[in-house]
Amino acid sequence: MITQAHVEYGHRVVIHGKQVGYVQGQYFLKKNVDIQRDIYKKDLIKGLGK
């Protein structure tokens, strides 16, 4: 999956050259990295033990 920067970090909403709003980022990548970090570490330690 490719995460687009404007979705990850948020973006301005511009209509006719004027900013009319802002969409907050969803941080899909950061959330997934945070979830996977411990799992990856456990798998790495297990793999090195073989």
Side-chain angles (χ1 to χ4, degrees):
M1 180 179 101
I2 298 173
T3 302
Q4 302 296 326
H6 65 280
V7 175
E8 184 72 11
Y9 300 112
H11 60 92
R12 297 178 301 147
V13 178
V14 179
I15 297 177
H16 301 296
K18 256 189 125 160
Q19 182 174 337
V20 295
Y22 183 79
V23 177
Q24 291 289 341
Q26 297 297 310
Y27 302 104
F28 292 120
L29 181 61
K30 182 190 180 317
K31 289 176 185 176
N32 191 49
V33 168
D34 291 344
I35 291 168
Q36 296 295 323
R37 183 175 287 117
D38 290 334
I39 297 167
Y40 176 76
K41 185 176 178 181
K42 288 176 190 173
D43 289 346
L44 182 62
I45 290 169
K46 184 178 175 183
L48 290 172
K50 289 184 178 184

Coordinates of all heavy atoms in Angstrom, one line a residue:
M1 N 0.8 -1.2 0.0 CA 0.0 0.0 0.0 C 0.9 1.2 0.0 O 1.8 1.3 0.7 CB -0.9 0.0 1.2 CG -1.8 1.2 1.3 SD -2.8 1.2 2.8 CE -1.9 2.3 3.8
I2 N 0.6 2.2 -0.8 CA 1.3 3.4 -0.9 C 0.5 4.5 -0.2 O -0.7 4.7 -0.5 CB 1.5 3.8 -2.3 CG1 2.4 2.8 -3.0 CG2 2.2 5.2 -2.4 CD1 2.6 3.0 -4.5
T3 N 1.0 5.1 0.8 CA 0.3 6.2 1.6 C 0.7 7.5 0.9 O 1.9 7.8 0.8 CB 0.8 6.2 3.0 OG1 0.5 4.9 3.6 CG2 0.0 7.2 3.8
Q4 N -0.3 8.3 0.6 CA -0.1 9.6 0.0 C 0.2 10.6 1.1 O -0.5 10.6 2.1 CB -1.3 10.0 -0.8 CG -1.6 9.0 -1.9 CD -0.5 9.0 -3.0 OE1 0.1 9.9 -3.3 NE2 -0.3 7.8 -3.6
A5 N 1.1 11.5 0.9 CA 1.5 12.5 1.9 C 0.3 13.3 2.4 O 0.2 13.6 3.6 CB 2.6 13.4 1.4
H6 N -0.6 13.7 1.5 CA -1.7 14.6 1.9 C -2.7 13.9 2.8 O -3.3 14.5 3.6 CB -2.4 15.2 0.6 CG -3.1 14.2 -0.2 ND1 -2.4 13.4 -1.1 CD2 -4.4 13.9 -0.3 CE1 -3.3 12.6 -1.8 NE2 -4.5 12.9 -1.3
V7 N -2.8 12.6 2.6 CA -3.6 11.8 3.5 C -3.0 11.6 4.9 O -3.6 11.7 5.9 CB -4.0 10.4 2.9 CG1 -4.8 9.6 3.8 CG2 -4.8 10.6 1.6
E8 N -1.7 11.3 4.8 CA -0.9 11.0 6.1 C -0.8 12.2 7.0 O -1.0 12.1 8.2 CB 0.5 10.5 5.7 CG 1.3 10.1 6.9 CD 0.9 8.8 7.5 OE1 0.1 8.0 7.0 OE2 1.4 8.5 8.6
Y9 N -0.5 13.4 6.4 CA -0.2 14.6 7.2 C -1.2 15.6 7.1 O -1.1 16.6 7.9 CB 1.2 15.1 6.7 CG 2.3 14.2 6.9 CD1 2.9 13.6 5.7 CD2 2.7 13.8 8.1 CE1 4.0 12.7 5.9 CE2 3.8 12.9 8.2 CZ 4.4 12.4 7.1 OH 5.4 11.5 7.3
G10 N -2.2 15.5 6.3 CA -3.3 16.5 6.2 C -3.0 17.5 5.0 O -1.9 17.5 4.5
H11 N -4.0 18.3 4.7 CA -3.9 19.2 3.6 C -4.9 20.3 3.7 O -5.9 20.2 4.3 CB -4.0 18.5 2.2 CG -5.3 17.8 2.1 ND1 -6.4 18.4 1.4 CD2 -5.8 16.5 2.4 CE1 -7.4 17.6 1.4 NE2 -7.1 16.4 2.0
R12 N -4.6 21.4 3.0 CA -5.5 22.5 2.9 C -6.6 22.2 1.9 O -6.4 21.5 0.9 CB -4.8 23.8 2.5 CG -3.7 24.2 3.4 CD -3.0 25.5 2.9 NE -2.4 25.2 1.6 CZ -2.2 26.1 0.7 NH1 -2.6 27.3 0.9 NH2 -1.6 25.8 -0.5
V13 N -7.8 22.8 2.0 CA -8.8 22.8 1.1 C -8.9 24.1 0.4 O -9.1 25.1 1.1 CB -10.2 22.4 1.7 CG1 -11.3 22.4 0.6 CG2 -10.1 21.0 2.4
V14 N -8.6 24.2 -0.9 CA -8.5 25.5 -1.6 C -9.6 25.5 -2.7 O -9.6 24.6 -3.5 CB -7.1 25.7 -2.2 CG1 -7.1 27.1 -2.9 CG2 -6.1 25.7 -1.1
I15 N -10.4 26.6 -2.7 CA -11.4 26.7 -3.7 C -11.2 28.1 -4.3 O -11.2 29.1 -3.6 CB -12.8 26.6 -3.2 CG1 -13.0 25.2 -2.7 CG2 -13.9 26.9 -4.3 CD1 -14.4 24.9 -2.0
H16 N -11.0 28.2 -5.6 CA -10.8 29.5 -6.3 C -9.6 30.3 -5.7 O -9.7 31.5 -5.6 CB -12.1 30.3 -6.4 CG -13.2 29.6 -7.0 ND1 -13.2 29.3 -8.4 CD2 -14.4 29.2 -6.6 CE1 -14.4 28.7 -8.7 NE2 -15.1 28.7 -7.6
G17 N -8.6 29.5 -5.3 CA -7.4 30.2 -4.8 C -7.5 30.6 -3.4 O -6.5 31.2 -2.9
K18 N -8.6 30.3 -2.7 CA -8.7 30.7 -1.3 C -8.8 29.5 -0.4 O -9.5 28.5 -0.7 CB -10.0 31.5 -1.1 CG -9.9 33.0 -0.9 CD -11.2 33.6 -0.5 CE -10.9 34.4 0.7 NZ -11.8 35.4 1.0
Q19 N -8.1 29.5 0.7 CA -8.2 28.4 1.6 C -9.5 28.4 2.4 O -9.8 29.5 3.0 CB -7.0 28.4 2.6 CG -7.1 27.2 3.5 CD -5.9 27.1 4.5 OE1 -4.8 27.6 4.2 NE2 -6.0 26.4 5.6
V20 N -10.3 27.4 2.2 CA -11.6 27.4 2.9 C -11.7 26.3 4.0 O -12.7 26.2 4.7 CB -12.7 27.1 1.9 CG1 -12.8 28.3 0.9 CG2 -12.5 25.8 1.2
G21 N -10.6 25.6 4.2 CA -10.6 24.6 5.2 C -9.3 23.8 5.3 O -8.4 24.1 4.6
Y22 N -9.3 22.9 6.2 CA -8.1 22.0 6.4 C -8.6 20.6 6.8 O -9.5 20.5 7.6 CB -7.2 22.6 7.5 CG -5.9 21.8 7.7 CD1 -4.9 21.9 6.8 CD2 -5.8 20.9 8.7 CE1 -3.7 21.2 7.0 CE2 -4.7 20.1 8.9 CZ -3.6 20.3 8.0 OH -2.5 19.5 8.1
V23 N -8.0 19.6 6.2 CA -8.3 18.2 6.5 C -7.2 17.7 7.3 O -6.0 17.7 6.9 CB -8.5 17.4 5.2 CG1 -8.8 15.9 5.5 CG2 -9.6 18.0 4.3
Q24 N -7.5 17.2 8.5 CA -6.4 16.6 9.4 C -5.9 15.3 8.8 O -6.6 14.6 8.1 CB -7.0 16.3 10.8 CG -7.4 17.5 11.6 CD -6.2 18.2 12.1 OE1 -5.1 17.7 12.1 NE2 -6.4 19.5 12.4
G25 N -4.6 15.1 9.0 CA -4.0 13.8 8.6 C -4.6 12.6 9.3 O -5.0 12.7 10.4
Q26 N -4.5 11.5 8.6 CA -5.0 10.2 9.2 C -3.9 9.4 9.9 O -4.2 8.5 10.7 CB -5.7 9.4 8.2 CG -6.9 10.1 7.6 CD -8.0 10.3 8.6 OE1 -8.4 9.4 9.3 NE2 -8.5 11.5 8.6
Y27 N -2.6 9.7 9.5 CA -1.5 9.0 10.1 C -1.6 7.5 10.1 O -1.2 6.8 11.0 CB -1.3 9.4 11.6 CG -1.1 10.9 11.7 CD1 -2.1 11.7 12.2 CD2 0.1 11.5 11.3 CE1 -1.9 13.1 12.2 CE2 0.3 12.9 11.3 CZ -0.7 13.7 11.8 OH -0.6 15.0 11.9
F28 N -2.0 7.0 8.9 CA -2.1 5.5 8.7 C -0.8 4.9 8.8 O -0.6 3.8 9.4 CB -2.7 5.2 7.3 CG -4.1 5.6 7.2 CD1 -4.5 6.5 6.2 CD2 -5.1 5.0 8.0 CE1 -5.9 6.8 6.0 CE2 -6.5 5.4 7.8 CZ -6.8 6.3 6.9
L29 N 0.3 5.4 8.2 CA 1.6 4.8 8.2 C 2.2 4.8 9.6 O 2.7 3.8 10.1 CB 2.5 5.6 7.3 CG 3.9 5.1 7.2 CD1 4.0 3.6 6.6 CD2 4.8 6.0 6.2
K30 N 2.1 6.0 10.3 CA 2.6 6.0 11.7 C 1.9 5.1 12.6 O 2.6 4.4 13.4 CB 2.5 7.5 12.2 CG 3.1 7.6 13.6 CD 2.8 8.9 14.3 CE 3.3 9.1 15.6 NZ 3.2 7.9 16.5
K31 N 0.6 5.0 12.5 CA -0.2 4.1 13.4 C 0.3 2.6 13.1 O 0.4 1.9 14.1 CB -1.7 4.2 13.1 CG -2.2 5.5 13.6 CD -3.7 5.7 13.3 CE -4.3 7.0 13.7 NZ -5.7 7.2 13.2
N32 N 0.4 2.3 11.8 CA 0.8 0.9 11.5 C 2.2 0.6 12.0 O 2.5 -0.5 12.5 CB 0.7 0.6 10.0 CG 0.8 -0.8 9.7 OD1 0.2 -1.7 10.4 ND2 1.7 -1.2 8.8
V33 N 3.2 1.5 11.8 CA 4.5 1.3 12.3 C 4.5 1.1 13.8 O 5.2 0.2 14.3 CB 5.4 2.5 11.9 CG1 6.8 2.5 12.6 CG2 5.7 2.5 10.4
D34 N 3.8 1.9 14.5 CA 3.7 1.8 16.0 C 3.1 0.4 16.4 O 3.6 -0.2 17.3 CB 2.8 2.9 16.6 CG 3.4 4.2 16.5 OD1 4.6 4.3 16.2 OD2 2.7 5.2 16.7
I35 N 2.2 -0.1 15.6 CA 1.6 -1.4 15.9 C 2.6 -2.5 15.6 O 2.8 -3.5 16.4 CB 0.3 -1.6 15.1 CG1 -0.8 -0.7 15.6 CG2 -0.1 -3.1 15.2 CD1 -2.0 -0.6 14.7
Q36 N 3.3 -2.4 14.5 CA 4.2 -3.5 14.0 C 5.5 -3.5 14.7 O 6.2 -4.5 14.6 CB 4.4 -3.3 12.5 CG 3.1 -3.5 11.7 CD 2.6 -4.9 11.8 OE1 3.3 -5.9 11.8 NE2 1.2 -5.0 11.8
R37 N 5.9 -2.4 15.3 CA 7.3 -2.3 15.9 C 7.6 -3.5 16.9 O 8.6 -4.1 16.7 CB 7.4 -1.0 16.7 CG 8.8 -0.8 17.2 CD 9.0 0.6 17.9 NE 9.0 1.6 16.8 CZ 8.1 2.6 16.6 NH1 7.1 2.7 17.4 NH2 8.3 3.4 15.6
D38 N 6.7 -3.8 17.8 CA 7.0 -4.8 18.8 C 7.0 -6.2 18.1 O 7.8 -7.1 18.4 CB 6.0 -4.8 19.9 CG 6.2 -3.6 20.8 OD1 7.3 -3.1 20.9 OD2 5.2 -3.2 21.4
I39 N 6.0 -6.4 17.2 CA 5.9 -7.7 16.4 C 7.2 -7.9 15.7 O 7.8 -9.0 15.7 CB 4.7 -7.7 15.5 CG1 3.4 -7.5 16.3 CG2 4.7 -8.9 14.6 CD1 2.2 -7.2 15.5
Y40 N 7.7 -6.9 15.0 CA 9.0 -7.0 14.2 C 10.1 -7.3 15.1 O 11.0 -8.2 14.8 CB 9.2 -5.7 13.4 CG 10.5 -5.7 12.7 CD1 10.7 -6.4 11.5 CD2 11.6 -5.0 13.2 CE1 11.9 -6.4 10.8 CE2 12.8 -5.0 12.5 CZ 12.9 -5.7 11.3 OH 14.1 -5.7 10.6
K41 N 10.2 -6.6 16.2 CA 11.3 -6.9 17.2 C 11.3 -8.3 17.7 O 12.4 -9.0 17.7 CB 11.2 -5.9 18.4 CG 12.4 -6.0 19.3 CD 12.2 -4.9 20.4 CE 13.4 -5.0 21.4 NZ 13.2 -4.0 22.5
K42 N 10.1 -8.8 18.0 CA 10.0 -10.2 18.5 C 10.4 -11.2 17.4 O 11.2 -12.1 17.6 CB 8.6 -10.5 19.0 CG 8.2 -9.9 20.3 CD 6.8 -10.1 20.6 CE 6.3 -9.3 21.8 NZ 4.9 -9.4 22.0
D43 N 10.0 -10.9 16.2 CA 10.3 -11.8 15.0 C 11.8 -11.8 14.8 O 12.4 -12.8 14.4 CB 9.6 -11.4 13.8 CG 8.1 -11.8 13.9 OD1 7.7 -12.6 14.8 OD2 7.3 -11.3 13.0
L44 N 12.4 -10.6 14.9 CA 13.9 -10.4 14.6 C 14.7 -11.2 15.7 O 15.6 -11.9 15.3 CB 14.2 -8.9 14.7 CG 15.7 -8.6 14.4 CD1 16.0 -9.0 12.9 CD2 15.9 -7.1 14.5
I45 N 14.3 -11.1 16.9 CA 15.0 -11.8 18.0 C 14.9 -13.3 17.8 O 15.8 -14.0 17.9 CB 14.5 -11.3 19.4 CG1 15.0 -9.9 19.6 CG2 15.0 -12.2 20.5 CD1 14.3 -9.2 20.8
K46 N 13.7 -13.7 17.5 CA 13.4 -15.1 17.2 C 14.2 -15.6 16.0 O 14.8 -16.7 16.1 CB 11.9 -15.3 16.9 CG 11.5 -16.8 16.7 CD 10.0 -16.9 16.5 CE 9.6 -18.3 16.2 NZ 8.2 -18.4 15.9
G47 N 14.3 -14.8 15.0 CA 15.1 -15.2 13.8 C 16.6 -15.3 14.0 O 17.3 -16.1 13.5
L48 N 17.1 -14.4 14.9 CA 18.5 -14.4 15.2 C 18.9 -15.6 16.1 O 20.0 -16.0 16.1 CB 18.9 -13.1 15.9 CG 18.9 -11.8 15.0 CD1 19.1 -10.6 15.8 CD2 19.9 -11.9 13.9
G49 N 17.9 -16.1 16.8 CA 18.1 -17.2 17.7 C 18.3 -18.5 17.0 O 18.8 -19.5 17.5
K50 N 17.8 -18.6 15.7 CA 17.9 -19.8 14.9 C 19.3 -20.1 14.5 O 20.1 -19.3 14.2 CB 17.0 -19.8 13.8 CG 15.5 -19.8 14.2 CD 14.6 -19.9 13.0 CE 13.2 -20.0 13.5 NZ 12.3 -20.1 12.4

